[in-house]
Amino acid sequence: MKGLFYDDSALESCRWGEFLPGAQSTGGRGLRTLALVSSLVPTWPRMDVNKGLPAIDSHRDLHVWIIENLRMEPVPEKAYGNFFEEHCYIVLHVPQSLKATQGACSDLHYWAGKEAGAEAQDAAEAFVQQLQEALGGATVQHREAQGHESDCFRSYFRPGIIYRRGGLASALTHVETNLYNIQRLLHVQGRKHVSATEVELSWSSFNKGDIFLLDLGKVMIQWNGPETSIPEKARGLALTCSLRDRERGGRAQIGVVDDEVEATDLMRIMEAVLGCRVGNLPATRPDKSVNQLQKASVRLYHVCEKDDDLVIQELATCPLTQDLLREEDYYILDQGGFKIYVWQGRLSSLQEKKAAFSRALGFIQAKGYPTYTNVEVVNDGAESASFKQLFQSWSTKQRGNKSFGKLSKSIQVRPDVGKLQSRPELAAQLRMVDDASGKVEVWCIQDLGRRPVDPKRHAQLCAGNCYLVLYAYQRMGHVQYILYLWRGHRATTRDVKALNCNAEELDLMYQGALVQEHVTMGNEPPHFLAIFQGQLVVFQGHTGHDGKEQPAPATRLFHVQGTDSCNTRTVEVPARASALNSHDIFLLVTASVCYLWFGKGCSGDQREMARTAVSAVSGENKETVLEGQEPPGFWEALGGRAPYPGNKRLPEDVSGFQPRLFECSSHMGHLVLTEMVFFSQEDLDKYDIMLLDTWQEIFLWLGEAASKWKKEAVDWGQEYLKTHPAGRSPATPIVVIKQGHEPPTFTGWFLAWDPYKWTNDQSYKEVVDGSLGAMPAICEITAELNDFQLSRGPSNGGADPLTLQTLKGSQDGSGNELQPGPKAGDASTNSHHSSPRPTIHGSLPRERLMHQAVEDLPEGVDPARKEFYLSDSDFQEIFGKSKEEFYSMAKWRQQQEKKQLGFF
């Protein structure tokens, strides 16, 4: 290949002359040519490939290797999540059998530290290619850059990722358990996906909006910025506890600084290490989160070879359709510069597949995107969930693996609703909490209030109104509720607002126990239709103030759709011939007769259901009419013959979509989502607002501490649909769920669900106040600081050498406690006292030291260490041990004995 072509219109914003050194421009049919340089062609470094690839344990889902001396070396499991900035890593995730049923593929990542060399990066890319060939096509490849990892990558490492300075020693020691001889400062950031970066041990590293962890070996102090939220503090504490357990065997003590004024002991330790803080802390650093609006733009580019040149040409923009992808071709999909996807057709060449990353990087450079832009390479038939959701629909008919979608397709024929109680995954697939035999109440929204609807007319709604439908059912011995908020197409904005207000009033009456589902006319979920046993009828008019409908016209046409009680609805449509369809059934109501019209393409199930569904409108007096055999009066009632569609309306194919779970937040007024890939119930936290997208419904889960954000949550759900790059329908049902009131249609999407998980769930404050327990190590260091009379630090804001020496002495790996302080008169001690006492030589009688007030002590005696001036024999007699044994004890025990014996 000699050149690289880009379509002018596709990349018109690029500055071609600055693309790469040696770039050459060539005219020709509106295209530009760029001479390829070495950075665009994969050139693998020399490496030892004779030894083959490392063994992969089939019983583990996660494998991590580090690139060391151009070789793949395994990282021990206890060190997973630790990444050195000067290295590259390879991470392989192989879903186990239970997860494979969701149609999940393997994920293969290569991660580059910000200080990693080009040779190491090339080696990582080469190894990824070799692993890809060994694993086969059902693997998604990812390129990750430090600090800008994909949500998929971050989801492996909970509760967070640790970025470590420098490179790894040749011994490959990632984490040394029980290593106490350590001093480091970690900058903790992130909401759901937390990361911690080693930074300079100085106050200058701090800011008001983040969390910082001062790790001193036996003591770990988490300092929470004044602008940090409770969820951020809680997740930071989870990371701190994880570090303690993994790296210190659970034996380090954790202290938390939420308020510097109240945490005086912890602040004293911090100042001893960091020095006195000078000036105010800087403001919170700007959040660089990518919002949904930025992700909404997608462009598909076709990549092909022309003669000896590579041509990249824009093919389509959103909404994209799956039929744009041809199995013999190769494509680049650009999601607003946020992420670059490379799709490789099943029949594309091996050479093209090997050049996937290099072509993506060339595209990134040409577009002027940051070098850390995430790249994902997917193969035909093994696409990731995030890639497939960029398209309007996705079919898995050509794929051989099982999926949730195929399950739903098979069970929708004859659903066994009797198993819904014992099989929540079936309830989720069918979108049915039960068999719809529970108690039903219906209210119509009128004059900003709600008016009860006569039970005989529960199934008769008007397109110009809004309704509340409350459904109660039994589950696990408790009554549970679903409140449907139904909105007609012709309802006014005023009525919609009143609908939401009345729903909140009902929720308060039921003490927040209502699951609220926002339903738009024409997009009713199966359970809503099943409540009315397939007899739901929607009239075009609206109910007046007196509760009566508008006067009905003499001729009315009703469209009947459905094959059973869970999918049948009857909707009034304009009474004209063009509204008919050969594959459906219609009821034409006139002043003298009712015609039940069967199109040629309708099935027996449709006919049987239609006869039952229209009884509320037509009564018993109806005439059956077959398409093509209509009497003259039929066409006269419709205003004459007219062309009408004969194509069958196929149901939306959702077989290719897997459910996806996101954490919701807002930045600069726009929705920001963080995906939890391979999600579980553990990802739901009491401080969260989570969005579960099952494609047919949007679930919004509100944690106990986030329930006040319900209105914002609904707005976020609507924004999610409006900004979705696949052009999602804004009428997609939105379900709002509060923690502890989850229906089986929600829990069934999780592989396991424990209804009692949150019974004894502790809040962040409870964890800090109680669960961290006693902190003797912190007391020791504080007492030692008093003992040594340490300086607050030199003028440059750093800690003095004696401070660091003392703290370092308290952290040695042997497990010894702090050593006794220097003797009175030690020059190093005097040099750090503002008013040193005269030196005392020899010992003093016990009566001059025991039970003596400070002012009564002899000159030169340190009142904090009176026992030190005893003779060795007196000390042995009084304390029952030698001075060496005494000073080897924990500091708090020393203080306790001194109080008992009159030396405190």
Side-chain angles (χ1 to χ4, degrees):
M1 233 182 316
K2 296 180 180 178
L4 178 65
F5 283 94
Y6 287 92
D7 184 276
D8 268 349
S9 60
L11 301 176
E12 60 185 0
S13 63
C14 297
R15 301 177 65 182
W16 297 101
E18 299 179 5
F19 172 40
L20 284 172
Q24 299 176 355
S25 177
T26 303
R29 292 191 294 179
L31 300 177
R32 291 183 186 268
T33 303
L34 293 177
L36 287 175
V37 295
S38 60
S39 63
L40 293 181
V41 181
T43 55
W44 310 133
R46 291 188 304 167
M47 59 187 72
D48 187 359
V49 296
N50 295 324
K51 292 185 177 180
L53 296 172
I56 298 174
D57 185 354
S58 60
H59 300 292
R60 284 169 44 203
D61 59 353
L62 192 63
H63 305 76
V64 182
W65 298 274
I66 186 172
I67 305 302
E68 179 75 2
N69 297 324
L70 301 185
R71 294 183 182 180
M72 288 176 64
E73 300 287 352
V75 174
E77 278 194 73
K78 67 180 181 181
Y80 283 6
N82 285 266
F83 294 91
F84 285 91
E85 296 178 342
E86 293 182 2
H87 285 273
C88 291
Y89 290 76
I90 293 176
V91 176
L92 172 64
H93 179 265
V94 182
Q96 299 302 294
S97 57
L98 187 60
K99 294 178 181 177
T101 61
Q102 300 185 33
C105 301
S106 298
D107 289 276
L108 184 59
H109 309 253
Y110 85 83
W111 181 94
K114 65 180 182 180
E115 302 296 336
E119 191 176 28
Q121 295 188 47
D122 289 342
E125 186 177 341
F127 279 125
V128 164
Q129 184 60 46
Q130 293 177 44
L131 277 170
Q132 167 72 21
E133 293 173 9
L135 292 168
T139 305
V140 178
Q141 301 175 65
H142 307 258
R143 173 181 174 268
E144 313 283 357
Q146 179 181 339
H148 303 277
E149 296 86 355
S150 64
D151 287 338
C152 180
F153 185 87
R154 289 176 174 269
S155 293
Y156 305 138
F157 307 106
R158 302 173 187 174
I161 292 175
I162 310 295
Y163 302 126
R164 302 183 65 175
R165 280 184 168 181
L168 184 63
S170 58
L172 295 178
T173 306
H174 270 78
V175 174
E176 294 186 28
T177 305
N178 301 332
L179 177 66
Y180 296 122
N181 190 10
I182 186 173
Q183 284 188 5
R184 64 176 176 176
L185 182 64
L186 296 176
H187 181 190
V188 183
Q189 293 174 288
R191 293 178 58 85
K192 207 65 175 175
H193 296 311
V194 179
S195 63
T197 308
E198 286 190 31
V199 293
E200 181 185 357
L201 203 65
S202 166
W203 283 113
S204 62
S205 300
F206 286 65
N207 67 68
K208 295 180 181 178
D210 289 328
I211 294 171
F212 293 83
L213 176 61
L214 181 60
D215 185 0
L216 301 176
K218 288 184 179 178
V219 172
M220 308 173 80
I221 302 176
Q222 177 176 318
W223 181 94
N224 297 326
E227 296 176 4
T228 52
S229 64
I230 292 181
E232 289 172 324
K233 295 176 183 179
R235 287 160 192 162
L237 186 57
L239 176 62
T240 302
C241 292
S242 174
L243 285 174
R244 174 197 61 188
D245 296 340
R246 287 194 299 169
E247 299 189 13
R248 310 294 144 74
R251 289 185 285 273
Q253 299 297 324
I254 296 175
V256 177
V257 178
D258 274 323
D259 186 335
E260 293 185 353
V261 176
E262 295 181 0
T264 54
D265 286 350
L266 296 176
M267 286 304 299
R268 181 163 169 76
I269 295 174
M270 292 186 70
E271 290 179 350
V273 177
L274 304 173
C276 281
R277 191 169 67 213
V278 179
N280 296 323
L281 291 171
T284 305
R285 294 172 184 174
D287 188 352
K288 297 181 181 179
S289 300
V290 180
N291 61 53
Q292 286 306 104
L293 194 59
Q294 294 171 279
K295 297 180 182 179
S297 172
V298 292
R299 294 180 182 272
L300 184 66
Y301 296 87
H302 178 236
V303 183
C304 65
E305 290 187 19
K306 187 175 183 180
D307 298 327
D308 289 333
D309 299 311
L310 188 68
V311 179
I312 298 179
Q313 188 172 12
E314 182 174 335
L315 184 63
T317 185
C318 59
L320 302 177
T321 55
Q322 187 181 1
D323 57 8
L324 290 168
L325 305 174
R326 297 184 300 181
E327 61 182 6
E328 68 272 11
D329 286 337
Y330 187 95
Y331 300 87
I332 289 177
L333 194 156
D334 178 3
Q335 189 180 7
F338 158 73
K339 191 169 187 175
I340 302 299
Y341 293 89
V342 178
W343 186 87
Q344 302 175 138
R346 186 167 53 89
L347 302 180
S348 59
S349 68
L350 179 61
Q351 183 181 3
E352 285 181 315
K353 293 177 179 179
K354 286 184 176 181
F357 281 119
S358 59
R359 288 179 177 179
L361 293 178
F363 180 84
I364 288 171
Q365 292 179 7
K367 293 286 282 182
Y369 294 152
T371 56
Y372 55 73
T373 302
N374 191 259
V375 176
E376 182 173 307
V377 180
V378 297
N379 292 312
D380 185 2
E383 296 85 359
S384 64
S386 60
F387 179 83
K388 289 185 286 189
Q389 280 207 8
L390 298 176
F391 293 77
Q392 273 191 316
S393 62
W394 194 275
S395 174
T396 58
K397 291 179 181 178
Q398 298 179 354
R399 298 185 59 180
N401 60 307
K402 297 179 180 179
S403 68
F404 272 144
K406 289 198 171 185
L407 173 63
S408 65
K409 192 171 181 180
S410 63
I411 61 180
Q412 283 177 352
V413 178
R414 291 293 179 188
D416 186 357
V417 295
K419 296 181 179 179
L420 296 177
Q421 290 284 343
S422 60
R423 294 184 58 191
E425 73 281 2
L426 186 65
Q429 295 300 320
L430 294 176
R431 302 167 68 192
M432 298 275 293
V433 296
D434 69 349
D435 59 1
S437 60
K439 180 182 177 183
V440 182
E441 293 182 78
V442 181
W443 295 270
C444 179
I445 301 301
Q446 291 181 342
D447 298 327
L448 305 182
R450 57 184 182 274
R451 179 184 60 81
V453 176
D454 185 343
K456 295 180 181 180
R457 299 175 62 87
H458 274 180
Q460 299 178 25
L461 310 180
C462 292
N465 291 98
C466 293
Y467 294 84
L468 290 171
V469 179
L470 179 62
Y471 181 79
Y473 64 103
Q474 289 277 343
R475 182 171 178 81
M476 297 178 65
H478 300 282
V479 179
Q480 296 191 344
Y481 303 93
I482 299 178
L483 180 65
Y484 292 100
L485 289 74
W486 188 91
R487 181 177 63 191
H489 280 163
R490 298 185 177 181
T492 65
T493 304
R494 183 169 177 264
D495 285 340
V496 173
K497 289 183 178 178
L499 175 71
N500 294 325
C501 290
N502 280 272
E504 288 306 305
E505 289 181 11
L506 279 177
D507 193 38
L508 289 174
M509 290 173 56
Y510 285 86
Q511 299 178 339
L514 303 185
V515 171
Q516 298 184 29
E517 181 157 4
H518 295 255
V519 177
T520 302
M521 172 183 162
N523 287 78
E524 295 85 1
H527 186 261
F528 182 89
L529 298 175
I531 289 174
F532 304 110
Q533 298 300 305
Q535 298 188 16
L536 176 67
V537 180
V538 181
F539 297 92
Q540 281 296 328
H542 71 272
T543 303
H545 301 291
D546 55 358
K548 296 181 180 180
E549 297 178 19
Q550 289 178 316
T555 303
R556 310 178 81 172
L557 183 64
F558 295 87
H559 184 188
V560 185
Q561 293 175 288
T563 57
D564 58 45
S565 61
C566 296
N567 63 16
T568 299
R569 64 173 67 83
T570 302
V571 181
E572 185 177 0
V573 296
R576 51 178 178 259
S578 59
L580 301 174
N581 188 295
S582 295
H583 286 272
D584 287 331
I585 298 173
F586 290 82
L587 176 69
L588 177 61
V589 180
T590 67
S592 58
V593 64
C594 292
Y595 298 100
L596 186 59
W597 184 85
F598 292 149
K600 290 181 179 180
C602 65
S603 66
D605 287 338
Q606 284 179 281
R607 295 190 189 100
E608 182 180 348
M609 198 64 211
R611 291 187 177 94
T612 304
V614 301
S615 59
V617 180
S618 66
E620 299 298 327
N621 181 25
K622 54 181 177 287
E623 180 180 332
T624 300
V625 177
L626 302 180
E627 183 179 8
Q629 302 178 19
E630 302 87 354
F634 179 86
W635 296 114
E636 289 175 6
L638 292 176
R641 292 177 180 269
Y644 55 83
N647 59 307
K648 187 175 183 179
R649 295 183 178 90
L650 297 175
E652 183 183 19
D653 185 3
V654 298
S655 62
F657 297 117
Q658 289 94 40
R660 300 176 69 191
L661 182 69
F662 304 88
E663 181 207 27
C664 299
S665 60
S666 180
H667 178 62
M668 303 293 289
H670 293 290
L671 175 64
V672 175
L673 295 179
T674 303
E675 184 173 8
M676 310 305 296
V677 188
F678 322 112
F679 62 84
S680 68
Q681 188 181 1
E682 293 296 323
D683 294 313
L684 306 180
D685 187 85
K686 67 192 301 179
Y687 304 103
D688 291 336
I689 296 177
M690 306 297 289
L691 185 150
L692 177 64
D693 181 3
T694 65
W695 198 260
Q696 292 181 302
E697 284 178 311
I698 300 297
F699 292 92
L700 287 161
W701 183 90
L702 279 64
E704 180 185 348
S707 58
K708 63 180 180 180
W709 299 99
K710 183 193 295 184
K711 183 182 181 302
E712 288 79 1
V714 175
D715 292 340
W716 288 345
Q718 293 170 346
E719 182 181 350
Y720 174 76
L721 292 171
K722 290 177 182 177
T723 59
H724 200 285
R728 301 282 289 279
S729 169
T732 302
I734 296 177
V735 187
V736 181
I737 302 169
K738 293 181 181 176
Q739 181 179 349
H741 299 283
E742 296 83 4
T745 48
F746 176 79
T747 62
W749 294 109
F750 293 77
L751 294 176
W753 188 270
D754 178 8
Y756 306 105
K757 178 181 183 297
W758 295 299
T759 303
N760 298 312
D761 194 25
Q762 288 186 310
S763 68
Y764 165 76
K765 189 176 186 304
E766 289 171 337
V767 173
V768 173
D769 291 346
S771 299
L772 295 183
M775 296 180 283
I778 293 176
C779 297
E780 289 177 35
I781 293 181
T782 305
E784 195 70 15
L785 289 173
N786 292 328
D787 225 16
F788 278 96
Q789 295 288 300
L790 294 174
S791 167
R792 291 281 181 169
S795 59
N796 63 4
D800 62 89
L802 179 58
T803 302
L804 299 178
Q805 175 84 20
T806 304
L807 289 171
K808 184 176 180 181
S810 72
Q811 315 301 325
D812 65 36
S814 65
N816 293 336
E817 302 296 338
L818 301 178
Q819 298 301 312
K823 295 182 180 180
D826 190 307
S828 64
T829 305
N830 289 337
S831 65
H832 292 278
H833 277 272
S834 57
S835 301
R837 289 177 176 267
T839 301
I840 292 181
H841 300 280
S843 59
L844 294 172
R846 67 176 71 182
E847 58 270 13
R848 298 191 62 183
L849 299 169
M850 294 177 65
H851 305 293
Q852 296 294 320
V854 175
E855 59 271 16
D856 296 330
L857 289 172
E859 283 292 321
V861 172
D862 183 351
R865 302 181 67 249
K866 292 187 285 186
E867 78 289 345
F868 184 78
Y869 303 94
L870 292 169
S871 64
D872 292 343
S873 57
D874 283 346
F875 194 98
Q876 181 72 41
E877 183 180 344
I878 295 171
F879 286 88
K881 56 180 69 69
S882 67
K883 289 183 180 180
E884 287 73 15
E885 292 173 320
F886 177 80
Y887 288 123
S888 67
M889 293 166 47
K891 199 66 181 179
W892 64 273
R893 290 185 177 177
Q894 296 180 29
Q895 303 288 13
Q896 188 177 43
E897 288 197 15
K898 287 164 65 173
K899 286 181 181 179
Q900 295 173 347
L901 298 172
F903 287 90
F904 188 73

